Amino acid sequence: GTIKSGPLAGKKILGVVGDQQAALLGQGCVNKGETKNTYGTGCFMLYNTGTDIIQSQHGLLTTVAYQQQGQAPTYALEGSVAVAGLGLRWLRDNMGMIKDYQEAFELASQVDRTYGVYFVPAFSGLFAPHWRADARGTLCGLTGHTTKQHVSRAVIESVCFQVCEIFDAMKADSQTEPKKLLVDGGMTQSDLLLQMQSNLLGVEVHKPTIKEVTALGAAVAAGVTAGVWQLGSKMNHIQVYCPKIDDKERARKMKRWKMAVERSLGWDLEAMSTN
């Protein structure tokens, strides 16, 4: 099509793509099994399933990843997290514990663990893979020795736990074992977050140096149509984070996280009555 009015009138429209699908294209995730996660106010993960339409049995959504003109569509599994960066905003604006997001990461890096503190950011329920409107925010494991450093680390770690749950659901639905996760979004500026994520996933986490991956994906969609871009081109400058904890420690932490999630459920009785 073409643009009908305005300063760009007459210009061809070479690509139309949603933001998460754009990030998928920007990361070059055009092969079946490739997975990206965007960390913003929330989190959004897409897993390329190729031309297969997989109906999730584990709380995910099936969506179109992209489609080139005259070709069959490529599909994806999608999982969303309601609260990622929003958790840091809560620490700053509601609790007054930090003056900016960077301070949260600095505080979290001052301790090597949360010492049993777990935070479930279910401010308005939990999204994938739980889909529980009755869940509410829960801070577990507090003791007389708990500090704002521990709480800050628990808030950041809660993002990683939620991403792990979606990643595990995607593995279960696809019956595959992805070897890496490609990441983008504002929160990926934190090395601490991405190292935590790799530790909990047990796979490599790959972050490109380019910050605007979604914008790049929109350009890719247009560039492929114009014949000036090769679909699936990967970025050369990648920072890789590798797991630094063993399977036993990973399983222990995930078990405690699931205990915390259980404690967050069923809190909003009114929401339960409308389900």
Side-chain angles (χ1 to χ4, degrees):
T2 58
I3 298 175
K4 290 187 176 181
S5 61
L8 298 178
K11 298 296 183 182
K12 290 183 177 180
I13 300 173
L14 300 180
V16 178
V17 62
D19 57 351
Q20 299 311 319
Q21 285 80 357
L24 191 77
L25 291 176
Q27 292 276 17
C29 294
V30 300
N31 299 310
K32 185 175 182 179
E34 291 183 319
T35 312
K36 76 87 195 173
N37 190 60
T38 299
Y39 298 76
T41 53
C43 282
F44 302 90
M45 187 184 296
L46 286 179
Y47 175 94
N48 188 322
T49 62
T51 57
D52 297 331
I53 300 175
I54 297 178
Q55 301 296 341
S56 178
Q57 303 299 313
H58 299 87
L60 304 176
L61 304 176
T62 301
T63 187
V64 174
Y66 60 89
Q67 183 177 16
Q68 293 179 263
Q69 188 172 10
Q71 298 186 24
T74 294
Y75 296 94
L77 287 169
E78 180 176 13
S80 56
V81 168
V83 178
L86 281 175
L88 298 181
R89 184 188 300 177
W90 174 77
L91 276 183
R92 183 192 66 189
D93 297 346
N94 294 48
M95 305 304 292
M97 290 178 60
I98 58 174
K99 63 180 182 295
D100 53 40
Y101 294 176
Q102 183 56 38
E103 184 179 4
F105 293 115
E106 291 172 357
L107 288 171
S109 67
Q110 292 170 12
V111 290
D112 61 355
R113 66 190 68 183
T114 65
Y115 287 90
V117 177
Y118 286 76
F119 176 64
V120 182
F123 296 145
S124 56
L126 289 172
F127 284 10
H130 303 284
W131 301 112
R132 291 289 296 265
D134 61 309
R136 285 297 176 266
T138 305
L139 190 59
C140 300
L142 298 179
T143 71
H145 300 289
T146 300
T147 65
K148 61 181 179 180
Q149 283 85 351
H150 299 124
V151 173
S152 295
R153 192 176 182 96
V155 169
I156 295 167
E157 200 170 43
S158 73
V159 178
C160 302
F161 281 123
Q162 293 177 97
V163 169
C164 283
E165 289 187 314
I166 293 176
F167 195 74
D168 287 344
M170 289 184 173
K171 289 195 296 184
D173 278 333
S174 64
Q175 298 184 341
T176 61
E177 293 283 341
K179 301 302 181 185
K180 62 184 178 183
L181 176 67
L182 284 68
V183 300
D184 56 81
M187 291 190 76
T188 62
Q189 297 179 44
S190 168
D191 291 330
L192 175 66
L193 171 85
L194 297 183
Q195 186 57 61
M196 284 180 174
Q197 191 68 82
S198 180
N199 287 347
L200 292 173
L201 287 174
V203 302
E204 293 181 354
V205 169
H206 289 210
K207 181 186 79 169
T209 54
I210 184 172
K211 294 182 179 180
E212 300 299 334
V213 174
T214 300
L216 173 62
V220 167
V224 169
T225 303
V228 298
W229 195 281
Q230 180 66 42
L231 187 66
S233 297
K234 298 290 196 295
M235 288 172 274
N236 294 324
H237 302 291
I238 301 292
Q239 187 169 356
V240 179
Y241 300 82
C242 299
K244 293 183 178 180
I245 65 174
D246 58 25
D247 290 342
K248 182 178 180 180
E249 175 63 7
R250 187 174 302 114
R252 184 193 70 81
K253 292 175 75 67
M254 288 302 300
K255 179 180 179 180
R256 297 298 294 273
W257 163 256
K258 291 177 181 177
M259 290 170 59
V261 169
E262 284 296 320
R263 285 158 173 76
S264 77
L265 302 178
W267 193 260
D268 189 328
L269 299 180
E270 184 175 333
M272 291 181 68
S273 67
T274 59
N275 287 342

Short mmCIF file of all heavy atoms in Angstrom, two decimals, residues 58-122:
data_model
loop_
_atom_site.label_atom_id
_atom_site.label_comp_id
_atom_site.label_asym_id
_atom_site.label_seq_id
_atom_site.Cartn_x
_atom_site.Cartn_y
_atom_site.Cartn_z
N HIS A 58 0.34 -24.97 28.51
CA HIS A 58 1.03 -24.53 29.71
C HIS A 58 0.93 -23.02 29.92
O HIS A 58 1.85 -22.37 30.40
CB HIS A 58 2.50 -24.95 29.64
CG HIS A 58 2.71 -26.42 29.58
ND1 HIS A 58 2.71 -27.12 28.38
CD2 HIS A 58 2.88 -27.35 30.56
CE1 HIS A 58 2.89 -28.40 28.63
NE2 HIS A 58 2.98 -28.57 29.93
N GLY A 59 -0.22 -22.45 29.55
CA GLY A 59 -0.50 -21.06 29.90
C GLY A 59 0.07 -20.00 28.99
O GLY A 59 0.15 -18.82 29.38
N LEU A 60 0.47 -20.37 27.77
CA LEU A 60 1.01 -19.40 26.82
C LEU A 60 -0.02 -19.08 25.74
O LEU A 60 -1.09 -19.69 25.68
CB LEU A 60 2.29 -19.94 26.17
CG LEU A 60 3.39 -20.35 27.14
CD1 LEU A 60 4.56 -20.95 26.39
CD2 LEU A 60 3.85 -19.16 27.98
N LEU A 61 0.30 -18.11 24.90
CA LEU A 61 -0.56 -17.73 23.78
C LEU A 61 0.12 -18.10 22.47
O LEU A 61 1.35 -18.11 22.37
CB LEU A 61 -0.83 -16.22 23.81
CG LEU A 61 -1.44 -15.66 25.10
CD1 LEU A 61 -1.56 -14.14 24.99
CD2 LEU A 61 -2.78 -16.29 25.38
N THR A 62 -0.69 -18.39 21.46
CA THR A 62 -0.18 -18.64 20.12
C THR A 62 -0.41 -17.39 19.28
O THR A 62 -1.50 -16.81 19.30
CB THR A 62 -0.89 -19.84 19.46
OG1 THR A 62 -0.69 -20.98 20.29
CG2 THR A 62 -0.34 -20.11 18.08
N THR A 63 0.62 -16.94 18.57
CA THR A 63 0.51 -15.71 17.81
C THR A 63 1.24 -15.84 16.49
O THR A 63 2.05 -16.76 16.30
CB THR A 63 1.09 -14.52 18.61
OG1 THR A 63 0.83 -13.30 17.92
CG2 THR A 63 2.59 -14.67 18.80
N VAL A 64 0.98 -14.91 15.57
CA VAL A 64 1.74 -14.84 14.32
C VAL A 64 3.03 -14.07 14.61
O VAL A 64 3.00 -12.97 15.18
CB VAL A 64 0.93 -14.13 13.21
CG1 VAL A 64 1.79 -13.93 11.97
CG2 VAL A 64 -0.31 -14.94 12.86
N ALA A 65 4.16 -14.65 14.23
CA ALA A 65 5.44 -13.97 14.41
C ALA A 65 5.65 -12.95 13.30
O ALA A 65 5.94 -11.78 13.55
CB ALA A 65 6.58 -14.98 14.44
N TYR A 66 5.50 -13.39 12.06
CA TYR A 66 5.61 -12.50 10.91
C TYR A 66 5.17 -13.26 9.66
O TYR A 66 5.04 -14.49 9.68
CB TYR A 66 7.05 -12.00 10.72
CG TYR A 66 8.06 -13.09 10.48
CD1 TYR A 66 8.36 -13.54 9.19
CD2 TYR A 66 8.73 -13.70 11.53
CE1 TYR A 66 9.26 -14.56 8.96
CE2 TYR A 66 9.64 -14.72 11.33
CZ TYR A 66 9.90 -15.14 10.03
OH TYR A 66 10.80 -16.16 9.82
N GLN A 67 4.94 -12.52 8.60
CA GLN A 67 4.59 -13.14 7.32
C GLN A 67 5.09 -12.26 6.19
O GLN A 67 4.81 -11.06 6.15
CB GLN A 67 3.07 -13.33 7.19
CG GLN A 67 2.66 -14.03 5.89
CD GLN A 67 1.17 -14.27 5.80
OE1 GLN A 67 0.39 -13.67 6.54
NE2 GLN A 67 0.75 -15.15 4.90
N GLN A 68 5.86 -12.86 5.29
CA GLN A 68 6.29 -12.15 4.10
C GLN A 68 5.24 -12.31 3.00
O GLN A 68 4.56 -13.34 2.91
CB GLN A 68 7.64 -12.70 3.60
CG GLN A 68 8.79 -12.42 4.54
CD GLN A 68 10.09 -13.01 4.01
OE1 GLN A 68 10.48 -14.11 4.40
NE2 GLN A 68 10.73 -12.28 3.11
N GLN A 69 5.14 -11.30 2.18
CA GLN A 69 4.13 -11.32 1.12
C GLN A 69 4.30 -12.55 0.24
O GLN A 69 5.39 -12.86 -0.23
CB GLN A 69 4.24 -10.05 0.27
CG GLN A 69 3.11 -9.89 -0.74
CD GLN A 69 3.14 -8.55 -1.44
OE1 GLN A 69 4.11 -7.79 -1.30
NE2 GLN A 69 2.09 -8.22 -2.17
N GLY A 70 3.19 -13.27 0.06
CA GLY A 70 3.21 -14.45 -0.81
C GLY A 70 3.73 -15.70 -0.16
O GLY A 70 3.84 -16.74 -0.82
N GLN A 71 4.05 -15.64 1.14
CA GLN A 71 4.58 -16.81 1.84
C GLN A 71 3.70 -17.18 3.02
O GLN A 71 2.90 -16.38 3.50
CB GLN A 71 6.02 -16.54 2.31
CG GLN A 71 7.00 -16.27 1.18
CD GLN A 71 8.43 -16.15 1.68
OE1 GLN A 71 8.78 -16.68 2.74
NE2 GLN A 71 9.27 -15.46 0.91
N ALA A 72 3.88 -18.41 3.48
CA ALA A 72 3.12 -18.86 4.65
C ALA A 72 3.59 -18.12 5.90
O ALA A 72 4.76 -17.76 6.01
CB ALA A 72 3.31 -20.37 4.84
N PRO A 73 2.69 -17.86 6.84
CA PRO A 73 3.10 -17.17 8.07
C PRO A 73 4.00 -18.04 8.95
O PRO A 73 3.93 -19.26 8.92
CB PRO A 73 1.77 -16.87 8.77
CG PRO A 73 0.80 -17.85 8.21
CD PRO A 73 1.24 -18.14 6.82
N THR A 74 4.83 -17.35 9.73
CA THR A 74 5.62 -17.99 10.77
C THR A 74 4.96 -17.68 12.10
O THR A 74 4.56 -16.53 12.35
CB THR A 74 7.06 -17.46 10.76
OG1 THR A 74 7.70 -17.87 9.54
CG2 THR A 74 7.86 -18.00 11.94
N TYR A 75 4.84 -18.69 12.95
CA TYR A 75 4.11 -18.54 14.21
C TYR A 75 5.06 -18.53 15.41
O TYR A 75 6.25 -18.84 15.29
CB TYR A 75 3.08 -19.66 14.36
CG TYR A 75 2.01 -19.63 13.31
CD1 TYR A 75 2.12 -20.39 12.14
CD2 TYR A 75 0.89 -18.83 13.45
CE1 TYR A 75 1.14 -20.35 11.15
CE2 TYR A 75 -0.10 -18.79 12.48
CZ TYR A 75 0.03 -19.54 11.33
OH TYR A 75 -0.93 -19.50 10.36
N ALA A 76 4.50 -18.18 16.56
CA ALA A 76 5.30 -18.14 17.78
C ALA A 76 4.42 -18.42 18.98
O ALA A 76 3.20 -18.25 18.95
CB ALA A 76 5.96 -16.77 17.94
N LEU A 77 5.06 -18.87 20.05
CA LEU A 77 4.44 -18.91 21.37
C LEU A 77 4.83 -17.63 22.09
O LEU A 77 5.97 -17.17 21.99
CB LEU A 77 4.93 -20.12 22.16
CG LEU A 77 4.41 -21.49 21.73
CD1 LEU A 77 5.18 -22.59 22.43
CD2 LEU A 77 2.91 -21.61 22.04
N GLU A 78 3.87 -17.05 22.82
CA GLU A 78 4.13 -15.79 23.50
C GLU A 78 3.76 -15.89 24.97
O GLU A 78 2.74 -16.47 25.33
CB GLU A 78 3.32 -14.66 22.86
CG GLU A 78 3.54 -13.31 23.51
CD GLU A 78 2.80 -12.18 22.80
OE1 GLU A 78 1.92 -12.47 21.95
OE2 GLU A 78 3.09 -11.01 23.09
N GLY A 79 4.61 -15.34 25.81
CA GLY A 79 4.34 -15.27 27.23
C GLY A 79 4.63 -13.87 27.74
O GLY A 79 5.61 -13.25 27.32
N SER A 80 3.78 -13.37 28.63
CA SER A 80 3.95 -11.99 29.12
C SER A 80 4.00 -11.95 30.64
O SER A 80 3.32 -12.72 31.32
CB SER A 80 2.80 -11.11 28.62
OG SER A 80 1.55 -11.64 29.00
N VAL A 81 4.82 -11.04 31.14
CA VAL A 81 4.97 -10.77 32.57
C VAL A 81 4.47 -9.35 32.81
O VAL A 81 4.93 -8.41 32.14
CB VAL A 81 6.45 -10.89 33.00
CG1 VAL A 81 6.66 -10.34 34.40
CG2 VAL A 81 6.90 -12.34 32.93
N ALA A 82 3.56 -9.17 33.75
CA ALA A 82 2.96 -7.84 33.97
C ALA A 82 3.94 -6.86 34.61
O ALA A 82 3.96 -5.68 34.27
CB ALA A 82 1.71 -7.97 34.83
N VAL A 83 4.74 -7.35 35.54
CA VAL A 83 5.58 -6.44 36.33
C VAL A 83 7.05 -6.84 36.21
O VAL A 83 7.46 -7.89 36.72
CB VAL A 83 5.16 -6.43 37.82
CG1 VAL A 83 6.08 -5.52 38.63
CG2 VAL A 83 3.71 -5.98 37.96
N ALA A 84 7.82 -6.00 35.55
CA ALA A 84 9.28 -6.15 35.49
C ALA A 84 9.87 -4.83 35.98
O ALA A 84 10.05 -4.62 37.17
CB ALA A 84 9.72 -6.50 34.07
N GLY A 85 10.10 -3.88 35.05
CA GLY A 85 10.56 -2.56 35.47
C GLY A 85 9.58 -1.84 36.38
O GLY A 85 9.97 -0.98 37.18
N LEU A 86 8.30 -2.20 36.28
CA LEU A 86 7.30 -1.61 37.18
C LEU A 86 7.62 -1.89 38.65
O LEU A 86 7.25 -1.11 39.53
CB LEU A 86 5.91 -2.14 36.85
CG LEU A 86 5.20 -1.51 35.64
CD1 LEU A 86 3.88 -2.23 35.39
CD2 LEU A 86 4.96 -0.03 35.87
N GLY A 87 8.29 -3.00 38.92
CA GLY A 87 8.68 -3.31 40.28
C GLY A 87 9.68 -2.30 40.82
O GLY A 87 9.61 -1.90 42.00
N LEU A 88 10.59 -1.86 39.96
CA LEU A 88 11.56 -0.85 40.37
C LEU A 88 10.87 0.50 40.56
O LEU A 88 11.22 1.26 41.46
CB LEU A 88 12.66 -0.74 39.32
CG LEU A 88 13.50 -2.00 39.09
CD1 LEU A 88 14.58 -1.74 38.04
CD2 LEU A 88 14.13 -2.48 40.39
N ARG A 89 9.89 0.78 39.71
CA ARG A 89 9.13 2.03 39.88
C ARG A 89 8.40 2.02 41.22
O ARG A 89 8.30 3.06 41.90
CB ARG A 89 8.13 2.20 38.73
CG ARG A 89 7.37 3.52 38.79
CD ARG A 89 6.27 3.57 37.75
NE ARG A 89 6.79 3.44 36.40
CZ ARG A 89 6.02 3.39 35.32
NH1 ARG A 89 4.68 3.42 35.45
NH2 ARG A 89 6.55 3.27 34.12
N TRP A 90 7.87 0.86 41.60
CA TRP A 90 7.19 0.72 42.90
C TRP A 90 8.15 1.00 44.04
O TRP A 90 7.81 1.69 45.01
CB TRP A 90 6.60 -0.68 43.01
CG TRP A 90 6.01 -1.03 44.33
CD1 TRP A 90 4.81 -0.64 44.84
CD2 TRP A 90 6.60 -1.86 45.34
NE1 TRP A 90 4.61 -1.17 46.09
CE2 TRP A 90 5.69 -1.93 46.42
CE3 TRP A 90 7.80 -2.57 45.43
CZ2 TRP A 90 5.96 -2.67 47.57
CZ3 TRP A 90 8.07 -3.30 46.58
CH2 TRP A 90 7.15 -3.35 47.64
N LEU A 91 9.38 0.47 43.94
CA LEU A 91 10.39 0.72 44.96
C LEU A 91 10.69 2.21 45.08
O LEU A 91 10.88 2.73 46.18
CB LEU A 91 11.69 -0.02 44.63
CG LEU A 91 11.84 -1.48 45.03
CD1 LEU A 91 13.23 -1.97 44.66
CD2 LEU A 91 11.59 -1.69 46.51
N ARG A 92 10.72 2.90 43.93
CA ARG A 92 11.07 4.32 43.93
C ARG A 92 9.90 5.21 44.34
O ARG A 92 10.00 6.02 45.26
CB ARG A 92 11.55 4.72 42.53
CG ARG A 92 12.01 6.17 42.40
CD ARG A 92 12.16 6.55 40.94
NE ARG A 92 10.87 6.55 40.23
CZ ARG A 92 10.76 6.68 38.91
NH1 ARG A 92 11.84 6.80 38.15
NH2 ARG A 92 9.56 6.67 38.35
N ASP A 93 8.76 5.06 43.65
CA ASP A 93 7.66 6.00 43.82
C ASP A 93 6.76 5.68 45.02
O ASP A 93 6.29 6.60 45.69
CB ASP A 93 6.80 6.03 42.56
CG ASP A 93 7.57 6.53 41.35
OD1 ASP A 93 8.67 7.10 41.53
OD2 ASP A 93 7.09 6.35 40.21
N ASN A 94 6.51 4.41 45.27
CA ASN A 94 5.59 4.03 46.34
C ASN A 94 6.30 3.85 47.68
O ASN A 94 5.81 4.27 48.72
CB ASN A 94 4.85 2.74 45.99
CG ASN A 94 3.92 2.92 44.81
OD1 ASN A 94 4.30 3.47 43.78
ND2 ASN A 94 2.69 2.44 44.93
N MET A 95 7.46 3.18 47.63
CA MET A 95 8.15 2.85 48.87
C MET A 95 9.23 3.86 49.25
O MET A 95 9.65 3.91 50.41
CB MET A 95 8.77 1.45 48.76
CG MET A 95 7.78 0.36 48.39
SD MET A 95 6.39 0.26 49.55
CE MET A 95 7.23 -0.33 51.01
N GLY A 96 9.70 4.64 48.26
CA GLY A 96 10.74 5.63 48.55
C GLY A 96 12.07 5.02 48.95
O GLY A 96 12.89 5.68 49.61
N MET A 97 12.32 3.78 48.53
CA MET A 97 13.56 3.09 48.93
C MET A 97 14.74 3.44 48.03
O MET A 97 15.89 3.26 48.44
CB MET A 97 13.34 1.57 48.91
CG MET A 97 12.43 1.08 50.01
SD MET A 97 12.14 -0.71 49.94
CE MET A 97 13.80 -1.33 50.11
N ILE A 98 14.47 3.92 46.83
CA ILE A 98 15.53 4.27 45.89
C ILE A 98 15.19 5.61 45.23
O ILE A 98 14.03 5.99 45.16
CB ILE A 98 15.72 3.19 44.79
CG1 ILE A 98 14.40 2.98 44.03
CG2 ILE A 98 16.23 1.89 45.40
CD1 ILE A 98 14.50 2.05 42.84
N LYS A 99 16.22 6.30 44.76
CA LYS A 99 15.97 7.57 44.06
C LYS A 99 15.88 7.37 42.55
O LYS A 99 15.28 8.18 41.85
CB LYS A 99 17.08 8.57 44.38
CG LYS A 99 18.47 8.19 43.92
CD LYS A 99 19.47 9.27 44.30
CE LYS A 99 20.88 8.94 43.81
NZ LYS A 99 21.45 7.74 44.45
N ASP A 100 16.48 6.28 42.06
CA ASP A 100 16.37 5.94 40.64
C ASP A 100 16.63 4.45 40.48
O ASP A 100 17.02 3.76 41.43
CB ASP A 100 17.34 6.76 39.77
CG ASP A 100 18.79 6.68 40.26
OD1 ASP A 100 19.23 5.58 40.67
OD2 ASP A 100 19.49 7.69 40.23
N TYR A 101 16.40 3.94 39.27
CA TYR A 101 16.53 2.51 39.03
C TYR A 101 17.95 2.02 39.25
O TYR A 101 18.17 0.91 39.75
CB TYR A 101 16.08 2.15 37.61
CG TYR A 101 14.60 2.37 37.36
CD1 TYR A 101 14.06 2.16 36.09
CD2 TYR A 101 13.74 2.77 38.37
CE1 TYR A 101 12.69 2.35 35.85
CE2 TYR A 101 12.38 2.97 38.14
CZ TYR A 101 11.87 2.76 36.87
OH TYR A 101 10.54 2.95 36.65
N GLN A 102 18.92 2.85 38.88
CA GLN A 102 20.32 2.44 39.03
C GLN A 102 20.66 2.15 40.49
O GLN A 102 21.44 1.24 40.79
CB GLN A 102 21.25 3.52 38.47
CG GLN A 102 22.73 3.17 38.52
CD GLN A 102 23.07 1.88 37.80
OE1 GLN A 102 22.48 1.58 36.75
NE2 GLN A 102 23.98 1.09 38.35
N GLU A 103 20.07 2.91 41.39
CA GLU A 103 20.34 2.67 42.81
C GLU A 103 19.86 1.30 43.24
O GLU A 103 20.50 0.64 44.07
CB GLU A 103 19.68 3.74 43.67
CG GLU A 103 20.03 3.59 45.15
CD GLU A 103 19.40 4.64 46.03
OE1 GLU A 103 18.63 5.48 45.52
OE2 GLU A 103 19.67 4.64 47.26
N ALA A 104 18.75 0.83 42.66
CA ALA A 104 18.26 -0.51 43.00
C ALA A 104 19.29 -1.57 42.62
O ALA A 104 19.54 -2.51 43.39
CB ALA A 104 16.94 -0.78 42.28
N PHE A 105 19.88 -1.43 41.44
CA PHE A 105 20.90 -2.40 41.01
C PHE A 105 22.15 -2.30 41.87
O PHE A 105 22.78 -3.31 42.18
CB PHE A 105 21.23 -2.18 39.54
CG PHE A 105 20.09 -2.50 38.61
CD1 PHE A 105 19.49 -1.51 37.85
CD2 PHE A 105 19.61 -3.80 38.50
CE1 PHE A 105 18.44 -1.81 37.00
CE2 PHE A 105 18.56 -4.11 37.66
CZ PHE A 105 17.97 -3.10 36.90
N GLU A 106 22.50 -1.08 42.27
CA GLU A 106 23.67 -0.89 43.14
C GLU A 106 23.43 -1.53 44.50
O GLU A 106 24.32 -2.20 45.05
CB GLU A 106 23.98 0.60 43.28
CG GLU A 106 24.50 1.23 41.99
CD GLU A 106 24.62 2.74 42.10
OE1 GLU A 106 24.24 3.29 43.16
OE2 GLU A 106 25.09 3.37 41.13
N LEU A 107 22.26 -1.31 45.06
CA LEU A 107 21.93 -1.92 46.36
C LEU A 107 21.94 -3.44 46.27
O LEU A 107 22.48 -4.13 47.14
CB LEU A 107 20.55 -1.44 46.83
CG LEU A 107 20.44 0.01 47.30
CD1 LEU A 107 18.98 0.39 47.50
CD2 LEU A 107 21.24 0.22 48.58
N ALA A 108 21.35 -3.96 45.21
CA ALA A 108 21.27 -5.42 45.03
C ALA A 108 22.66 -6.04 44.90
O ALA A 108 22.88 -7.18 45.34
CB ALA A 108 20.43 -5.75 43.81
N SER A 109 23.58 -5.32 44.30
CA SER A 109 24.93 -5.86 44.10
C SER A 109 25.76 -5.85 45.38
O SER A 109 26.84 -6.46 45.43
CB SER A 109 25.65 -5.06 43.01
OG SER A 109 25.90 -3.73 43.43
N GLN A 110 25.26 -5.19 46.41
CA GLN A 110 26.00 -5.11 47.67
C GLN A 110 25.82 -6.35 48.53
O GLN A 110 26.49 -6.51 49.56
CB GLN A 110 25.57 -3.85 48.44
CG GLN A 110 26.00 -2.56 47.77
CD GLN A 110 25.37 -1.32 48.40
OE1 GLN A 110 24.77 -1.39 49.48
NE2 GLN A 110 25.50 -0.18 47.73
N VAL A 111 24.91 -7.24 48.15
CA VAL A 111 24.72 -8.52 48.83
C VAL A 111 24.80 -9.63 47.78
O VAL A 111 24.46 -9.42 46.61
CB VAL A 111 23.37 -8.59 49.58
CG1 VAL A 111 23.39 -7.66 50.79
CG2 VAL A 111 22.21 -8.24 48.66
N ASP A 112 25.25 -10.80 48.20
CA ASP A 112 25.42 -11.88 47.22
C ASP A 112 24.19 -12.75 47.07
O ASP A 112 24.14 -13.62 46.21
CB ASP A 112 26.63 -12.74 47.58
CG ASP A 112 26.49 -13.42 48.94
OD1 ASP A 112 25.48 -13.15 49.64
OD2 ASP A 112 27.38 -14.22 49.28
N ARG A 113 23.17 -12.51 47.90
CA ARG A 113 21.92 -13.27 47.83
C ARG A 113 20.85 -12.52 48.63
O ARG A 113 21.15 -11.55 49.33
CB ARG A 113 22.11 -14.67 48.39
CG ARG A 113 22.42 -14.72 49.88
CD ARG A 113 22.82 -16.11 50.33
NE ARG A 113 24.12 -16.48 49.77
CZ ARG A 113 24.69 -17.67 49.97
NH1 ARG A 113 24.04 -18.60 50.66
NH2 ARG A 113 25.87 -17.94 49.46
N THR A 114 19.63 -12.98 48.52
CA THR A 114 18.53 -12.32 49.25
C THR A 114 18.36 -12.86 50.65
O THR A 114 17.56 -12.33 51.43
CB THR A 114 17.19 -12.50 48.50
OG1 THR A 114 16.83 -13.90 48.50
CG2 THR A 114 17.28 -11.98 47.08
N TYR A 115 19.07 -13.93 50.97
CA TYR A 115 18.95 -14.58 52.28
C TYR A 115 17.50 -14.93 52.61
O TYR A 115 16.98 -14.59 53.69
CB TYR A 115 19.60 -13.73 53.37
CG TYR A 115 21.11 -13.76 53.28
CD1 TYR A 115 21.78 -12.82 52.51
CD2 TYR A 115 21.85 -14.76 53.90
CE1 TYR A 115 23.17 -12.85 52.38
CE2 TYR A 115 23.23 -14.81 53.80
CZ TYR A 115 23.88 -13.86 53.02
OH TYR A 115 25.25 -13.91 52.89
N GLY A 116 16.87 -15.60 51.65
CA GLY A 116 15.53 -16.13 51.88
C GLY A 116 14.39 -15.19 51.58
O GLY A 116 13.22 -15.56 51.78
N VAL A 117 14.67 -13.97 51.10
CA VAL A 117 13.61 -13.01 50.77
C VAL A 117 13.18 -13.23 49.32
O VAL A 117 14.01 -13.24 48.41
CB VAL A 117 14.07 -11.56 50.98
CG1 VAL A 117 12.98 -10.58 50.56
CG2 VAL A 117 14.47 -11.34 52.43
N TYR A 118 11.88 -13.40 49.11
CA TYR A 118 11.32 -13.57 47.77
C TYR A 118 10.17 -12.59 47.57
O TYR A 118 9.34 -12.43 48.48
CB TYR A 118 10.83 -15.01 47.55
CG TYR A 118 11.96 -15.99 47.36
CD1 TYR A 118 12.72 -16.42 48.45
CD2 TYR A 118 12.29 -16.46 46.10
CE1 TYR A 118 13.78 -17.31 48.28
CE2 TYR A 118 13.33 -17.36 45.91
CZ TYR A 118 14.08 -17.77 47.00
OH TYR A 118 15.12 -18.64 46.83
N PHE A 119 10.12 -11.97 46.42
CA PHE A 119 9.10 -10.97 46.11
C PHE A 119 8.30 -11.42 44.90
O PHE A 119 8.86 -11.72 43.84
CB PHE A 119 9.77 -9.63 45.82
CG PHE A 119 8.82 -8.54 45.39
CD1 PHE A 119 7.84 -8.08 46.25
CD2 PHE A 119 8.92 -7.99 44.13
CE1 PHE A 119 6.97 -7.07 45.86
CE2 PHE A 119 8.05 -6.98 43.72
CZ PHE A 119 7.09 -6.51 44.59
N VAL A 120 6.98 -11.51 45.05
CA VAL A 120 6.09 -11.84 43.93
C VAL A 120 5.32 -10.57 43.56
O VAL A 120 4.45 -10.13 44.32
CB VAL A 120 5.11 -12.97 44.31
CG1 VAL A 120 4.23 -13.33 43.10
CG2 VAL A 120 5.86 -14.19 44.80
N PRO A 121 5.62 -9.96 42.42
CA PRO A 121 5.03 -8.65 42.08
C PRO A 121 3.66 -8.75 41.44
O PRO A 121 3.41 -8.21 40.35
CB PRO A 121 6.07 -8.07 41.11
CG PRO A 121 6.60 -9.27 40.40
CD PRO A 121 6.62 -10.37 41.42
N ALA A 122 2.74 -9.41 42.11
CA ALA A 122 1.40 -9.62 41.56
C ALA A 122 0.49 -8.45 41.95
O ALA A 122 -0.55 -8.64 42.60
CB ALA A 122 0.83 -10.95 42.06
#
